[in-house]
Amino acid sequence: MTIHSILICGGTHGNELSGVYAVRQWKQNSQKLQQLAPSANISFELVNKASVDARTRFIDEDLNRQFDLRKLQAKRAEDGSSHEATLAQSLNEQYGPKPHGNIDLIVDIHNTTSAMGPTLIVLENDHFNQQLARYVKTHMPDAVILVEDHIPYEQHPYFCTLGKRSVMVEVGPQAQGALRADIYLQTLRMTELIVAFIETVNTNTDEQLPPVEAYRLIAEIPYPTDSLGQRSAMNHPNIDGNDFTEVRAGMPCFMDFEGKDILWEGDTVYPHFVGEAAYDKQNLAFATAQKCEF
Amino acid sequence: MTIHSILICGGTHGNELSGVYAVRQWKQNSQKLQQLAPSANISFELVNKASVDARTRFIDEDLNRQFDLRKLQAKRAEDGSSHEATLAQSLNEQYGPKPHGNIDLIVDIHNTTSAMGPTLIVLENDHFNQQLARYVKTHMPDAVILVEDHIPYEQHPYFCTLGKRSVMVEVGPQAQGALRADIYLQTLRMTELIVAFIETVNTNTDEQLPPVEAYRLIAEIPYPTDSLGQRSAMNHPNIDGNDFTEVRAGMPCFMDFEGKDILWEGDTVYPHFVGEAAYDKQNLAFATAQKCEF
């Protein structure tokens, strides 16, 4: 297998600034990154420039939910009504059409307001993704591997899935519209490791690495609501700021507005995207994962 | 002196959720708060409801920069062109007109994305504000007292200055549009202490408290920019997430996008509002303060 082309992206969400500034920096000087993988052609893209200029997640709707294959194909016949629906069609023409992408690997850089640390999100459970995750985790022990393989690759709504293969670099905590140096440096480091791994693949120097600790997405959990549908609790301080902490039945997971604990009743889970600001409007408290080897 | 009326406000910025949820909670049940100050009439206000509904800082422009006395008076003759200019006039009619406010004390609750902890912002250096700050700091040692008395009270552009007296409760770090239980609880605690202090004033049971450690605002510091006016550095990890840390000449305060440190050249300062997302658009890196007794 050879990865001829790598597209590294920021600004899919315009207020997630690590990728925006990293891509701007690489566009000015990609030498250091290109030297890590002389065998591949690396290019860069600020994906949703209008939202970057507006410093918002999106203009009309979330671009990173437009790329489910059926949604893309259904929309093809329509006039794109929103900025992001139109942009999705344009990106699909440029890099796709999905599932026949012309880029071998898309790396899409995101931030979360949650304390998820430097997280590599992989979307398929195959040899390539396993070896990539293992390489990153081995060289960057504080990296978190998050596996979202609950649906087939083509059904994922993410922009990066226009690529033949793709991963997301998801680093937090960082407030929307803010830029933190430590988060930026973690973003560079993880992206450099991905590129360095590709060089080992292309030059057949990749070693078979043993499985590493990872987390596999289970479900999204809403905030509790009262009889009027109003939110009646917050994430508990035990989990807020402590993404990927184990929560067992009987442990506090929410706190109501008078300070009373609400206990977790399900199987043991590892909450993440805890209190992510972008999901607040949909009343999502956190996502759950199970710990696994990958 | 008697404080007959206290107005406690949230939602002056619609995406700063501690105050939004605290005010909603108090509107449902103010008994606990009212019991702390039977001598005062406490009311509550969600100030910019449209921005709360939109989950944005503002609709057209920053409401909390509309209340400089001269700006209010100059605008009086005009049609309010923006949502916030119109709202400011309406609030000025309801609670003012400034400087003849009909509320004895306005407490306006804010969040910052910066790691400022539970901060009490006072706007005047007088006996009342000193005693209030000392009471809060004495009963809540992790509270930070920030004094912004660099301009006369009437020139402050803040909504709360419609009150005869006013303070801001400014708690962080919390991302815009997110709600953290620990930050919410600190917000309740500081507000309860302010209310409890008022009861000591009204019942002449306030003790003369000794001065406490505080910080006095000096200036706002922009990010470095290159010859094209583009930002060329981030806040240094030493200060980002470490608001009110001492920075002396020769210590790193910025980091460029290749990871090189940029050193502070001025007098010793205490940066705060470090990397505040709401000030990013104006290219503001942080505000400086000097340490003082208050």
Side-chain angles (χ1 to χ4, degrees):
Chain A
M1 180 207 294
T2 307
I3 302 288
H4 297 285
S5 52
I6 306 174
L7 179 68
I8 300 179
C9 300
T12 298
H13 294 134
N15 57 9
E16 297 177 5
L17 297 190
S18 297
V20 171
Y21 279 91
V23 163
R24 280 186 184 161
Q25 179 65 16
W26 285 317
K27 280 191 166 185
Q28 286 173 29
N29 182 4
S30 65
Q31 199 180 359
K32 185 180 170 192
L33 205 61
Q34 189 64 69
Q35 280 172 348
L36 294 172
S39 62
N41 176 35
I42 306 177
S43 54
F44 305 94
E45 177 81 84
L46 264 187
V47 180
N48 192 345
K49 294 176 188 67
S51 78
V52 171
D53 290 343
R55 292 162 184 266
T56 55
R57 182 173 174 89
F58 50 74
I59 301 297
D60 295 317
E61 57 178 328
D62 194 334
L63 178 64
N64 214 31
R65 300 295 182 272
Q66 304 293 319
F67 295 91
D68 170 7
L69 181 58
R70 281 174 302 183
K71 188 169 182 178
L72 274 178
Q73 290 174 339
K75 287 263 176 161
R76 207 168 286 173
E78 299 170 20
D79 278 340
S81 53
S82 79
H83 171 75
E84 278 76 13
T86 306
L87 179 56
Q89 291 300 326
S90 162
L91 291 164
N92 192 38
E93 282 167 28
Q94 185 176 359
Y95 296 116
K98 189 174 176 176
H100 307 294
N102 57 58
I103 302 284
D104 291 327
L105 177 67
I106 294 182
V107 179
D108 196 25
I109 299 174
H110 288 262
N111 290 118
T112 171
T113 66
S114 311
M116 285 172 58
T119 297
L120 179 71
I121 302 181
V122 299
L123 304 172
E124 293 182 284
N125 183 5
D126 60 10
H127 181 75
F128 173 84
N129 280 280
Q130 285 172 2
Q131 289 294 308
L132 170 57
R134 293 169 190 181
Y135 185 92
V136 168
K137 179 74 177 167
T138 303
H139 289 82
M140 189 179 183
D142 59 338
V144 176
I145 309 301
L146 178 60
V147 183
E148 297 192 4
D149 62 352
H150 55 293
I151 52 174
Y153 186 71
E154 66 181 27
Q155 287 180 27
H156 273 292
Y158 304 133
F159 157 68
C160 62
T161 62
L162 287 184
K164 288 176 188 160
R165 295 171 190 79
S166 60
V167 290
M168 285 183 283
V169 172
E170 179 81 73
V171 193
Q174 183 171 272
Q176 298 170 348
L179 178 68
R180 294 190 57 144
D182 53 354
I183 302 289
Y184 175 84
L185 294 176
Q186 288 176 329
T187 303
L188 294 197
R189 172 79 178 136
M190 184 171 277
T191 307
E192 288 164 3
L193 285 170
I194 293 167
V195 169
F197 169 76
I198 295 306
E199 183 68 8
T200 71
V201 171
N202 288 351
T203 55
N204 284 313
T205 55
D206 50 326
E207 296 171 44
Q208 294 304 307
L209 296 165
V212 292
E213 178 187 277
Y215 298 89
R216 176 167 272 123
L217 173 66
I218 305 173
E220 292 171 333
I221 305 298
Y223 287 103
T225 49
D226 62 19
S227 56
L228 299 171
Q230 292 235 331
R231 188 177 305 178
S232 58
M234 304 166 278
N235 286 310
H236 196 277
N238 283 9
I239 66 166
D240 203 356
N242 294 305
D243 292 65
F244 298 108
T245 294
E246 184 178 82
V247 173
R248 299 187 304 274
M251 291 173 69
C253 62
F254 296 113
M255 175 182 278
D256 75 15
F257 291 109
E258 294 183 335
K260 191 175 145 242
D261 289 355
I262 298 171
L263 307 183
W264 180 248
E265 294 180 346
D267 295 333
T268 297
V269 294
Y270 296 81
H272 59 285
F273 283 117
V274 177
E276 161 60 47
Y279 303 157
D280 191 89
K281 197 170 186 174
Q282 294 127 275
N283 200 47
L284 293 180
F286 53 82
T288 56
Q290 56 187 337
K291 200 182 263 193
C292 63
E293 296 221 305
F294 187 77
Chain B
M1 179 206 294
T2 306
I3 302 289
H4 297 284
S5 52
I6 306 174
L7 179 67
I8 300 178
C9 300
T12 298
H13 294 134
N15 57 9
E16 296 177 7
L17 297 190
S18 296
V20 172
Y21 279 91
V23 163
R24 280 186 184 161
Q25 178 65 15
W26 285 318
K27 280 191 165 184
Q28 285 174 31
N29 182 5
S30 64
Q31 198 180 0
K32 185 179 170 193
L33 205 61
Q34 189 65 67
Q35 281 172 347
L36 294 172
S39 62
N41 175 36
I42 307 177
S43 54
F44 305 93
E45 177 80 85
L46 263 187
V47 180
N48 192 347
K49 294 176 188 68
S51 78
V52 171
D53 290 343
R55 293 162 184 266
T56 54
R57 183 173 174 88
F58 51 74
I59 302 297
D60 296 317
E61 57 178 327
D62 194 333
L63 178 64
N64 214 31
R65 300 295 181 272
Q66 303 294 319
F67 295 90
D68 170 7
L69 181 59
R70 281 174 301 182
K71 187 169 183 179
L72 274 178
Q73 289 174 338
K75 287 263 177 160
R76 207 167 285 173
E78 300 171 20
D79 278 341
S81 54
S82 79
H83 171 75
E84 278 76 14
T86 306
L87 179 56
Q89 291 301 327
S90 162
L91 291 165
N92 192 38
E93 283 166 28
Q94 186 176 359
Y95 297 117
K98 187 172 177 177
H100 308 293
N102 57 58
I103 302 285
D104 292 327
L105 176 67
I106 294 183
V107 179
D108 197 24
I109 299 174
H110 289 261
N111 290 117
T112 170
T113 66
S114 311
M116 284 171 59
T119 297
L120 180 71
I121 302 181
V122 298
L123 304 172
E124 293 181 285
N125 182 6
D126 61 9
H127 182 74
F128 173 84
N129 280 278
Q130 285 171 3
Q131 289 295 306
L132 170 57
R134 293 169 190 180
Y135 185 92
V136 168
K137 179 74 178 168
T138 304
H139 288 82
M140 189 177 184
D142 59 339
V144 176
I145 309 302
L146 178 60
V147 184
E148 296 192 4
D149 61 353
H150 55 293
I151 51 175
Y153 186 71
E154 65 181 27
Q155 287 181 26
H156 273 292
Y158 303 134
F159 156 69
C160 62
T161 61
L162 288 184
K164 288 175 188 160
R165 295 172 190 80
S166 60
V167 289
M168 285 183 282
V169 172
E170 178 80 72
V171 193
Q174 182 172 273
Q176 297 170 349
L179 179 67
R180 294 191 57 143
D182 53 353
I183 302 290
Y184 174 85
L185 294 175
Q186 288 176 327
T187 302
L188 294 197
R189 172 79 178 136
M190 184 170 278
T191 308
E192 287 164 4
L193 286 170
I194 294 166
V195 169
F197 168 76
I198 295 305
E199 183 68 7
T200 71
V201 170
N202 288 350
T203 56
N204 284 311
T205 57
D206 50 324
E207 297 171 44
Q208 294 304 306
L209 295 165
V212 292
E213 178 187 277
Y215 298 89
R216 176 168 271 123
L217 173 67
I218 305 173
E220 293 171 332
I221 305 298
Y223 286 104
T225 49
D226 62 20
S227 56
L228 299 171
Q230 293 236 329
R231 186 177 305 177
S232 58
M234 305 166 278
N235 285 310
H236 195 277
N238 282 10
I239 66 166
D240 203 357
N242 294 305
D243 293 64
F244 299 108
T245 294
E246 184 179 82
V247 174
R248 299 187 303 276
M251 290 172 69
C253 62
F254 295 114
M255 176 183 278
D256 75 14
F257 291 109
E258 293 184 335
K260 191 174 147 241
D261 289 355
I262 297 170
L263 307 182
W264 181 248
E265 293 181 346
D267 294 334
T268 298
V269 293
Y270 296 82
H272 59 286
F273 283 118
V274 178
E276 161 60 47
Y279 304 155
D280 191 89
K281 198 171 185 171
Q282 295 127 274
N283 200 47
L284 293 179
F286 52 82
T288 56
Q290 56 186 337
K291 200 183 263 194
C292 63
E293 295 221 307
F294 188 77

